[in-house]
Amino acid sequence: AQSVTQLGSHVSVSEGALVLLRCNYSSSVPPYLFWYVQYPNQGLQLLLKYTSAATLVKGINGFEAEFKKSETSFHLTKPSAHMSDAAEYFCAVSAINTGTASKLTFGTGTRLQVTL
Amino acid sequence: DGGITQSPKYLFRKEGQNVTLSCEQNLNHDAMYWYRQDPGQGLRLIYYSQIVNDFQKGDIAEGYSVSREKKESFPLTVTSAQKNPTAFYLCASSIYGGGGSRETQYFGPGTRLLVL
């Protein structure tokens, strides 16, 4: 069984400030981890994913995340927030399982607000 | 342009009525998925299909049905047995080329279902 916990359903930062969105996972086998972004009334867009290569993963729009096995975490960061980053962010986990289609388990999401 | 289309954007259902949500992809992906999104609950998997003429139940399949007669199409029917159908429905697809769980899922723009 696998699960994802996103700490903080709402996060507010000032424009130019550091963005930190937290994600902790639980998985009985080594996981693959994903961050998606969703703008209002739209589908999800992949920001980045961890697939057991490098522990520090760089994604689109200046976001990155670090896989820390000892802490079972995969927090999303961006050094300087922009107004266009305001959206909802979802962390998801998929158990390593070749030969079958991906089955993602999503967290409940974190809504990021960026203020002037 | 390759991508996933969902129609309609908004759908209204009357009591006791079955409704069908369309999902089409031209990415040549083998695997397709249906998710339900409710506020504060993240995304939950309804059904998924790894290949034509085959599909499996996800975590919340009760009250829903699917078919996969063509590789590019994966329609979802919300039956009258689904007592709380109001939600945002998202369709996704992934390559399923043997990469299993590390494959990225690509999402459509979603259909919002409302009950009259």
Side-chain angles (χ1 to χ4, degrees):
Chain A
Q2 54 200 36
S3 65
V4 170
T5 300
Q6 291 185 241
L7 295 175
S9 58
H10 289 84
V11 170
S12 182
V13 300
S14 300
E15 190 175 34
L18 171 71
V19 175
L20 171 60
L21 304 182
R22 299 178 186 274
C23 172
N24 289 88
Y25 70 89
S26 172
S27 178
S28 57
V29 296
Y32 294 132
L33 293 156
F34 303 77
W35 274 101
Y36 283 88
V37 61
Q38 184 181 34
Y39 298 98
N41 293 311
Q42 295 186 25
L44 275 66
Q45 179 183 7
L46 181 72
L47 277 176
L48 50 80
K49 66 179 182 181
Y50 166 75
T51 58
S52 74
T55 57
L56 181 62
V57 182
K58 294 187 184 298
I60 62 170
N61 301 339
F63 284 94
E64 64 181 37
E66 186 172 7
F67 174 71
K68 292 187 176 181
K69 184 179 178 180
S70 61
E71 299 177 9
T72 61
S73 69
F74 190 56
H75 301 332
L76 182 70
T77 61
K78 181 174 180 178
S80 177
H82 191 272
M83 295 297 289
S84 61
D85 295 327
E88 189 150 24
Y89 292 80
F90 291 93
C91 182
V93 63
S94 177
I96 290 178
N97 184 11
T98 59
T100 67
S102 170
K103 286 185 66 179
L104 292 176
T105 300
F106 284 85
T108 53
T110 297
R111 184 168 300 278
L112 176 65
Q113 181 183 18
V114 182
T115 59
L116 289 172
Chain B
D1 288 338
I4 301 173
T5 57
Q6 291 187 242
S7 62
K9 188 175 177 68
Y10 295 94
L11 185 58
F12 299 90
R13 193 190 92 164
K14 296 179 181 178
E15 293 287 340
Q17 186 182 38
N18 293 353
V19 292
T20 298
L21 285 63
S22 170
C23 177
E24 304 275 332
Q25 55 97 0
N26 61 3
L27 299 168
N28 200 31
H29 286 175
D30 284 318
M32 297 186 74
Y33 313 79
W34 273 106
Y35 292 90
R36 171 180 170 140
Q37 185 178 18
D38 296 279
Q41 295 194 45
L43 280 72
R44 293 180 289 169
L45 182 64
I46 305 172
Y47 270 98
Y48 67 102
S49 168
Q50 298 180 118
I51 198 167
V52 174
N53 293 323
D54 184 57
F55 48 83
Q56 288 78 41
K57 292 181 179 180
D59 300 318
I60 55 164
E62 185 174 351
Y64 300 97
S65 66
V66 294
S67 63
R68 187 83 187 278
E69 298 177 0
K70 297 186 297 182
K71 184 176 183 178
E72 58 270 24
S73 178
F74 191 41
L76 172 74
T77 295
V78 184
T79 74
S80 57
Q82 173 50 246
K83 297 307 179 187
N84 184 23
T86 298
F88 192 49
Y89 291 86
L90 288 158
C91 178
S93 70
S94 65
I95 294 175
Y96 183 41
S101 301
R102 67 171 173 262
E103 293 172 357
T104 298
Q105 290 187 22
Y106 297 88
F107 285 79
T111 291
R112 189 166 297 280
L113 177 60
L114 300 165
V115 176
L116 293 175

